[in-house]
């Protein structure tokens, strides 16, 4: 059986795909032209607008159908063959769990489900005021692939001190091959400071669960996945 496949629409291997999107333009012929232009830039050739509908004042929703030339090599698809384990907490004296709960809890935020909703993830939410040693030990016991820490308290740069203490503790406790991804978030972090704080990624204000999930999958799989 070939591991090279192409999308299927009407006949095997015809490369036909359907996608939908919204453009901030009024619903008219120019809007349809803009939709086709976008589809062409995405690699659909030929493409056709099969559905369009006004979405309020100045917005139009489109469904576009067209052919792509791209092939997919199933032999290069990688998977973890188990659930990705995420441990989350607020460390130190920080008792503000709204941020970490919005990312982890199934109810999520603003209508977007949290990481607990994803069946491919196993989430362990330790809550507030977790000590760094306890976090390291629990992450080790759970064989965590990633550790998510929320820090809202910033007096005297507590969020920075706590993050550095956490990253140093993980480096001391676990070899690099077994060390989980270290991710921190909070309203006062600068996302450019990850390397200086010893973590893999920083998320700032307004981050959604979907953004965190996408990062975790793309960061964890290359290091720990196996061929499908």
């Amino acid at each position: 059986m070939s591991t090279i496949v192409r999308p299927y629409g009407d006949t095997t291997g015809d490369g036909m795909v359907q996608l939908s999107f919204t453009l901030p333009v009024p619903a008219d012929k120019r809007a349809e032209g803009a939709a086709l232009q976008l589809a062409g830039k995405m690699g659909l050739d030929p493409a056709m607008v099969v559905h369009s509908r006004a979405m309020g004042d100045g917005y139009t929703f489109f469904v576009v159908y067209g052919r792509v030339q791209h092939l997919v090599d199933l032999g290069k698809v990688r998977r973890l063959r188990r659930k990705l384990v995420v441990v989350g907490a607020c460390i130190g004296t920080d008792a503000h769990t709204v941020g970490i709960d919005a990312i982890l809890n199934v109810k999520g935020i603003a209508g977007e489900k949290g990481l607990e909703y994803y069946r491919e993830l196993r989430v362990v939410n330790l809550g507030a005021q977790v000590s760094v040693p306890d976090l390291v030990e629990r992450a080790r016991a759970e064989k965590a692939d990633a550790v998510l820490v929320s820090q809202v308290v910033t007096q005297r740069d507590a969020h920075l001190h706590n993050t550095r203490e956490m990253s140093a503790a993980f480096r001391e406790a676990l070899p690099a091959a077994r060390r989980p991804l270290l991710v921190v978030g909070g309203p006062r972090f600068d996302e450019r400071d990850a390397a200086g704080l010893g973590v893999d990624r920083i998320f700032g204000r307004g981050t959604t669960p979907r953004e965190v999930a996408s990062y975790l999958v793309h960061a964890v799989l290359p290091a720990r996945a196996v061929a499908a």
Side-chain angles (χ1 to χ4, degrees):
M1 179 178 178
S2 174
T3 63
I4 306 299
V5 297
R6 177 182 274 124
Y8 168 91
D10 300 313
T11 59
T12 301
D14 61 8
M16 301 301 289
V17 300
Q18 180 174 290
L19 59 89
S20 61
F21 52 84
T22 300
L23 291 178
V25 292
D28 55 22
K29 290 299 183 182
R30 188 180 69 156
E32 291 192 10
L36 291 174
Q37 183 183 137
L38 176 60
K41 291 183 177 181
M42 297 173 70
L44 276 68
D45 184 26
M48 67 182 77
V49 174
V50 296
H51 175 75
S52 65
R53 181 179 180 181
M55 298 290 288
D57 187 20
Y59 292 86
T60 308
F61 172 78
F62 297 96
V63 177
V64 176
Y65 190 62
R67 177 178 290 111
V68 296
Q69 300 301 319
H70 308 297
L71 302 175
V72 176
D73 186 351
L74 298 179
K76 294 184 178 179
V77 175
R78 307 188 70 80
R79 54 185 178 177
L80 206 54
R81 297 187 187 276
R82 59 174 175 80
K83 290 188 176 184
L84 190 153
V85 181
V86 179
V87 173
C90 297
I91 58 175
T93 60
D94 200 322
H96 299 79
T97 63
V98 173
I100 194 71
D101 288 343
I103 298 298
L104 297 183
N105 287 359
V106 66
K107 65 182 180 181
I109 184 173
E112 185 175 318
K113 300 292 187 181
L115 300 191
E116 289 180 345
Y117 177 77
Y118 294 83
R119 62 183 181 183
E120 299 86 357
L121 305 181
R122 182 167 68 84
V123 176
V124 180
N125 189 348
L126 302 181
Q129 297 182 323
V130 178
S131 71
V132 168
D134 286 347
L135 176 62
V136 172
E137 185 56 36
R138 187 64 181 272
R140 190 202 324 250
E142 299 287 350
K143 297 181 180 179
D145 295 294
V147 170
L148 272 57
V149 165
S150 174
Q151 290 283 267
V152 176
V153 175
T154 60
Q155 286 90 337
R156 298 182 181 179
D157 289 334
H159 60 309
L160 304 181
H161 297 312
N162 289 341
T163 301
R164 291 192 183 99
E165 179 186 354
M166 176 193 68
S167 62
F170 273 100
R171 287 196 303 271
E172 181 179 345
L174 296 169
R178 294 176 50 206
R179 194 177 306 143
L181 284 175
L182 300 180
V183 180
V184 298
R188 296 292 298 276
F189 281 107
D190 187 329
E191 296 183 13
R192 299 168 295 182
D193 289 344
L197 294 175
V199 297
D200 297 287
R201 180 67 185 266
I202 293 174
F203 285 103
R205 185 189 300 273
T207 298
T208 66
R210 184 186 297 120
E211 290 173 321
V212 176
S214 178
Y215 167 74
L216 294 179
V217 169
H218 287 91
V220 169
L221 285 182
R224 304 190 184 187
V226 295

